[in-house]
């Protein structure tokens, strides 16, 4: 089984930056794509970013502001968030896909972390 643990979420002012981490353990591999999703109160979970061994993709709402990266030696995925906006407030979830290429659909991910809260104040 794969275990994913997110960290780094906190309260930050609008315009600030935050770096989230996702530590993976268990049966994990760099051959599988990793993704970040988020869910705000009263809203459905939405795709944020994903990364494979050769490519990365982003939701339009975060493109140009967020950067996803991974350190395979540390089995860790990161989400660098810049120019944060109040609408970025949500619980952020890390996930491992069941395929080697990037996916934007939650159905394409088989393992999920518990989430980390990001709150952006105005």
């Amino acid at each position: 089984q794969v275990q994913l643990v997110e960290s780094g979420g906190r309260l930050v002012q609008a315009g600030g930056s935050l770096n989230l981490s996702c530590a993976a353990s268990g049966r994990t591999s760099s051959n599988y794509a990793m993704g970040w999703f988020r869910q705000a109160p009263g809203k459905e979970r939405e795709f944020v970013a994903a990364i494979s061994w050769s490519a990365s993709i982003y939701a339009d709402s975060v493109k140009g502001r967020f950067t996803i990266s991974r350190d395979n030696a540390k089995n860790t995925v990161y989400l660098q968030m810049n120019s944060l906006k109040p609408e970025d407030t949500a619980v952020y979830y890390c996930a491992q896909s069941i395929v080697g290429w990037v996916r934007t659909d939650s159905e394409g991910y088989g393992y999920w972390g518990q989430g980390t809260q990001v709150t952006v104040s105005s």
Side-chain angles (χ1 to χ4, degrees):
Q1 184 179 357
V2 174
Q3 293 85 43
L4 304 174
V5 181
E6 305 94 336
S7 63
R10 63 178 178 86
L11 173 65
V12 64
Q13 287 189 287
S17 298
L18 204 58
N19 190 23
L20 305 183
S21 298
C22 173
S25 61
R27 191 172 59 84
T28 185
S29 172
S30 61
N31 291 331
Y32 292 94
M34 301 293 295
W36 285 96
F37 291 76
R38 67 186 183 186
Q39 186 168 24
K43 297 183 179 180
E44 296 184 351
R45 184 175 299 181
E46 66 173 346
F47 170 78
V48 176
I51 185 170
S52 68
W53 71 273
S54 62
S56 60
I57 57 175
Y58 300 89
D60 289 339
S61 60
V62 306
K63 193 173 299 182
R65 299 188 298 120
F66 291 9
T67 302
I68 187 172
S69 62
R70 65 194 302 173
D71 186 334
N72 293 325
K74 297 181 179 179
N75 291 323
T76 302
V77 181
Y78 304 93
L79 184 67
Q80 178 64 47
M81 306 185 293
N82 299 321
S83 301
L84 284 164
K85 305 174 181 179
E87 49 263 46
D88 293 320
T89 296
V91 176
Y92 283 71
Y93 297 91
C94 174
Q96 179 179 287
S97 77
I98 57 176
V99 295
W101 54 89
V102 293
R103 299 286 296 270
T104 61
D105 56 307
S106 60
E107 291 78 10
Y109 295 82
Y111 300 95
W112 296 81
Q114 295 299 308
T116 184
Q117 177 70 51
V118 173
T119 303
V120 183
S121 63
S122 59

